[in-house]
Amino acid sequence: MAFFYISSSKLALLVLLCFTASYLLHCSAHSDHHGRHPHYASHNYRHALTKSILFFEGQRSGKLPPNQRVTWRRNSALSDGSALHVDLVGGYYDAGDNVKFGFPMAFTTTMLSWSVIEFGGVMKGELQNARQAVRWATDYLLKATAYPDTIFVQVGEAGSDHACWERPEDMDTPRSVFKIDKNTPGTEVAAETAAALSAASLVFRKSDPTYSKLLVRRAIRVFEFADKYRGSYSDGLKNIVCPFYCSYSGYQDELLWGAAWLHRATKNPFYLHYIQRNGQNLGADQSDNTFCWDNKHVGARILLSKAFIVQKLQSLHDFKSHADNYICSVIPWTPMSQAQYTPGGLLFTMSDSNMQYVTSTSFLLVTYAKYLTSAHMAVNCGGVLVTPKMLRNLAKKQVDYLLGDNPLKMSYMVGYGTRYPQRIHHRGSSLPSMVVHPTKIQCSSGFSMYNSQNPNPNILVGAVVGGPDQHDNFPDQRSDYEQSEPATYINAPLVGSLAYLAHSFGQL
């Protein structure tokens, strides 16, 4: 990602937005919240699903396969890891730059896997593409965790990388490798990596059982390391990972999240006991209501609530209550609402990459609605009954806004609809491809394109950008990384929501 960080002032704003009961939206989400989906869809969710998965091919690092569909990309970073004599080729660039950040890459993998776990059964022809997108990440995470009690968590130096505007194929900035180990622990990224490997093991359980078993075995080992050697990677690697992907929420949420995924993947009672024994200490009952690459509390609550709602595990009853509290906090027409919405109806959490909160929240809404429906349950929000249909309706409104139902009639997914961002903050997309310009573009030479008003020459199909501001405005400027930069962790949960919507409207 480029120039992305959460400053102390923005963190304060995030906290304020999370805990202040702002009720800005009285109209669009409320007016038909009792209704069913209409019989027609205003969007082609199937096409959007295809594009949302295709985006990941544009973010690939390493040696590209023969069936690569984003053809303006070429091989890149083929010597990654050589600085420490290890193979770290592959994985994803997280956003518009050329660094491989392990923390958001692992979260992306977990959410892409969760999308497939919940909605892969209705993805039809896109299921194989979704699996391949997961595997591109897990193949890399297996390399990054190949040595016991060690995880390679970053390749590339963000400072020097951000000082250049160059294609990944031209990279000449240092590809330094950074790791966590017993002496420099990083519980957040280790536990998130365990979550990613566990979730992915469920994706491949039937289609590739051997690979699935490899993933879950590695997840068990990585989680043991995360739990045994506790410490924040933002402390040990502060100068490397901050301010780009500092962990502000601590590592307790990742331990709970990682244990929840291992419980789901292994059914081993050890992880259930771990959750029961440590849940409160790990913040299971915290009232925060954001879900993102940094904070997993909400996701863990929703995930664990399934074990109570569907599998009737009574010992996890409290997680249903905690999940309900989260749901009530984001539903705008309930007395417990704490969420802020733009005048056009978009959930607004913060100015930096706000669309990540929109896609992650929408996914949690449709997923929780699925769990509730299976048990004929609803949510009581201070005397207001919220049904699964209402949750799906709110999620649909968020996705529809993203796809173009907004005051600007702008699709925030590149390549979808007739009007979408033309100048996204993304190096590879904004510079001429190797096909057109095979000679090297030097580090600083690319800034002439960065500063240009010309549209990006390469369309990064499916990329979802940071999105509009709190007033529904979007300048479409390459320099505006807060609003114009795409990221893998924006797309990953959207894949699941789009699969659900495409199926529910008969498009799949």
Side-chain angles (χ1 to χ4, degrees):
M1 60 165 314
F3 313 114
F4 176 83
Y5 66 96
I6 303 179
S7 66
S8 58
S9 62
K10 285 177 179 171
L11 182 60
L13 173 63
L14 173 57
V15 173
L16 181 65
L17 290 174
C18 290
F19 292 93
T20 303
S22 338
Y23 190 4
L24 297 188
L25 181 67
H26 301 280
C27 50
S28 62
H30 184 253
S31 60
D32 66 349
H33 67 267
H34 294 288
R36 297 171 176 267
H37 287 326
H39 293 299
Y40 63 91
S42 54
H43 290 285
N44 192 323
Y45 301 114
R46 181 175 186 167
H47 285 178
L49 172 64
T50 297
K51 294 172 191 296
S52 70
I53 298 170
L54 181 61
F55 159 74
F56 288 94
E57 294 193 18
Q59 295 300 112
R60 284 172 168 172
S61 179
K63 184 173 175 56
L64 303 183
N67 63 350
Q68 169 80 9
R69 295 176 294 169
V70 180
T71 53
W72 50 265
R73 283 295 321 283
R74 290 290 186 270
N75 298 338
S76 62
L78 297 181
S79 61
D80 277 3
S82 60
L84 291 185
H85 307 291
V86 293
D87 175 12
L88 293 175
V89 176
Y92 289 115
Y93 303 117
D94 72 299
D97 61 8
N98 302 323
V99 182
K100 293 194 304 208
F101 294 98
F103 194 22
M105 196 194 305
F107 177 69
T108 293
T109 310
T110 310
M111 293 310 298
L112 199 50
S113 297
W114 199 2
S115 290
V116 176
I117 290 164
E118 298 296 347
F119 303 106
V122 300
M123 283 183 182
K124 300 285 180 67
E126 287 305 322
L127 177 57
Q128 187 55 28
N129 290 325
R131 282 192 189 126
Q132 287 177 351
V134 173
R135 187 157 187 156
W136 195 267
T138 51
D139 282 351
Y140 175 81
L141 293 178
L142 287 171
K143 292 179 178 182
T145 58
Y147 298 94
D149 297 338
T150 301
I151 302 179
F152 299 103
V153 297
Q154 185 171 317
V155 182
E157 297 176 10
S160 57
D161 180 90
H162 290 173
C164 293
W165 194 262
E166 60 185 354
R167 303 174 296 195
E169 294 84 358
D170 285 336
M171 264 191 295
D172 49 13
T173 52
R175 300 300 287 173
S176 306
V177 177
F178 303 96
K179 66 178 179 176
I180 56 172
D181 54 26
K182 298 176 185 178
N183 300 317
T184 311
T187 301
E188 304 96 335
V189 65
E192 181 60 66
T193 302
L197 294 167
S198 301
S201 76
L202 293 167
V203 170
F204 297 103
R205 178 161 286 174
K206 290 182 179 177
S207 62
D208 192 339
T210 303
Y211 189 65
S212 174
K213 288 172 185 170
L214 171 62
L215 293 172
V216 80
R217 282 197 304 269
R218 187 65 57 83
I220 291 167
R221 191 179 85 189
V222 170
F223 185 80
E224 286 175 358
F225 165 63
D227 192 39
K228 185 176 180 180
Y229 300 99
R230 294 193 183 188
S232 174
Y233 96 133
S234 294
D235 294 335
L237 295 176
K238 185 173 184 178
N239 295 334
I240 306 302
V241 302
C242 297
F244 309 100
Y245 285 109
C246 282
S247 174
Y248 293 98
S249 68
Y251 56 70
Q252 289 82 3
D253 54 312
E254 278 84 17
L255 284 173
L256 183 63
W257 174 242
W261 274 112
L262 275 160
H263 172 249
R264 185 154 175 180
T266 67
K267 300 293 188 290
N268 187 329
F270 170 84
Y271 297 105
L272 179 60
H273 296 151
Y274 181 96
I275 292 160
Q276 293 166 336
R277 192 171 63 250
N278 299 295
Q280 203 146 5
N281 292 335
L282 298 179
D285 56 352
Q286 285 190 11
S287 57
D288 49 359
N289 65 353
T290 58
F291 180 50
C292 63
W293 57 263
D294 182 28
N295 194 333
K296 321 296 163 45
H297 278 131
V298 169
R301 280 176 230 150
I302 298 287
L303 183 65
L304 288 168
S305 70
K306 183 188 180 186
F308 169 74
I309 295 170
V310 181
Q311 286 134 13
K312 311 301 181 189
L313 267 177
Q314 294 301 319
S315 62
L316 296 179
H317 171 273
D318 286 351
F319 286 98
K320 165 73 162 63
S321 301
H322 300 324
D324 285 356
N325 289 338
Y326 162 70
I327 292 297
C328 294
S329 77
V330 298
I331 303 295
W333 61 84
T334 73
M336 300 168 68
S337 176
Q338 296 178 340
Q340 184 178 20
Y341 289 80
T342 69
L346 184 71
L347 176 69
F348 191 83
T349 302
M350 66 182 299
S351 58
D352 267 1
S353 192
N354 179 64
M355 207 58 90
Q356 68 177 301
Y357 304 101
V358 174
T359 59
S360 61
T361 300
S362 299
F363 176 82
L364 293 183
L365 289 172
V366 294
T367 299
Y368 200 51
K370 178 184 173 184
Y371 300 164
L372 293 172
T373 298
S374 70
H376 307 289
M377 288 182 175
V379 180
N380 188 333
C381 296
V384 175
L385 193 67
V386 177
T387 66
K389 287 174 186 169
M390 295 176 192
L391 302 186
R392 293 184 185 111
N393 241 14
L394 180 58
K396 177 182 178 295
K397 283 185 174 294
Q398 297 305 299
V399 174
D400 286 350
Y401 183 111
L402 184 156
L403 294 177
D405 290 2
N406 55 62
L408 297 181
K409 305 300 179 194
M410 164 80 76
S411 164
Y412 292 101
M413 176 185 283
V414 174
Y416 178 88
T418 56
R419 186 177 186 214
Y420 52 82
Q422 300 292 312
R423 288 173 285 276
I424 67 172
H425 184 98
H426 189 278
R427 287 159 174 77
S429 170
S430 68
L431 293 165
S433 71
M434 300 291 288
V435 180
V436 175
H437 192 288
T439 55
K440 181 180 173 68
I441 298 174
Q442 299 292 336
C443 164
S444 57
S445 302
F447 282 106
S448 61
M449 186 60 188
Y450 173 82
N451 294 316
S452 162
Q453 287 299 307
N454 294 333
N456 287 10
N458 308 309
I459 299 176
L460 184 57
V461 173
V464 179
V465 297
D469 65 16
Q470 65 267 40
H471 306 295
D472 300 300
N473 297 319
F474 182 75
D476 195 11
Q477 292 295 322
R478 202 172 287 114
S479 58
D480 186 356
Y481 58 89
E482 292 188 351
Q483 293 179 254
S484 293
E485 188 169 19
T488 54
Y489 45 84
I490 300 178
N491 274 60
L494 181 62
V495 169
S497 300
L498 288 171
Y500 161 72
L501 287 167
H503 173 70
S504 67
F505 284 98
Q507 297 173 353
L508 279 170

